Amino acid sequence: MNEYFYVVGLHGVVIGYAFGEIRCGNAEPVIPQADGYLEIHEVYIHPEHRSKGIGKELINCLIDKASEHQIVRALVGSSNRRWKDTASFYEELGFDMWYIQMYK
């Protein structure tokens, strides 16, 4: 069972979810090797329900759950065509940019 998996339903229909896991290491230089951190793997909200705060609430649930285990850092990555919107979403939640990869 993964305690870092949240689902949002409305009238019996799933409209969103988010999940992650606690990890250690592999996040140098932004997170020291010895520190644990929450890695957020995926967040999805059905298009009809976006921009209503549901995604932010899911992220906050993940972060709150991690803090119950003394985990205070989080890491997220994303690859999608609306990356500017994604970056803005996480910046509003207090995340900072660490890495960028581009293609042509």
Side-chain angles (χ1 to χ4, degrees):
M1 181 171 115
N2 182 347
E3 61 186 303
Y4 294 93
F5 190 97
Y6 290 89
V7 175
V8 176
L10 182 65
H11 307 299
V13 176
V14 173
I15 62 168
Y17 63 87
F19 68 94
E21 68 179 314
I22 300 302
R23 303 194 62 171
C24 285
N26 299 328
E28 295 270 7
V30 294
I31 300 174
Q33 183 96 11
D35 289 0
Y37 62 93
L38 169 66
E39 183 169 349
I40 299 168
H41 292 300
E42 192 168 342
V43 178
Y44 175 80
I45 306 299
H46 188 280
E48 292 177 13
H49 299 282
R50 292 181 184 162
S51 299
K52 297 178 181 177
I54 299 168
K56 289 178 183 174
E57 196 151 334
L58 283 169
I59 295 298
N60 286 328
C61 285
L62 289 169
I63 290 170
D64 290 347
K65 181 54 127 178
S67 71
E68 290 176 10
H69 298 106
Q70 289 69 51
I71 302 295
V72 296
R73 299 179 182 264
L75 183 68
V76 64
S78 178
S79 63
N80 66 67
R81 293 179 186 194
R82 298 182 61 191
W83 64 269
K84 290 179 184 177
D85 293 338
T86 301
S88 177
F89 170 81
Y90 285 104
E91 286 171 343
E92 288 176 20
L93 288 163
F95 286 75
D96 292 312
M97 185 71 68
W98 163 45
Y99 177 81
I100 186 169
Q101 184 173 9
M102 300 176 83
Y103 72 95
K104 182 175 179 181

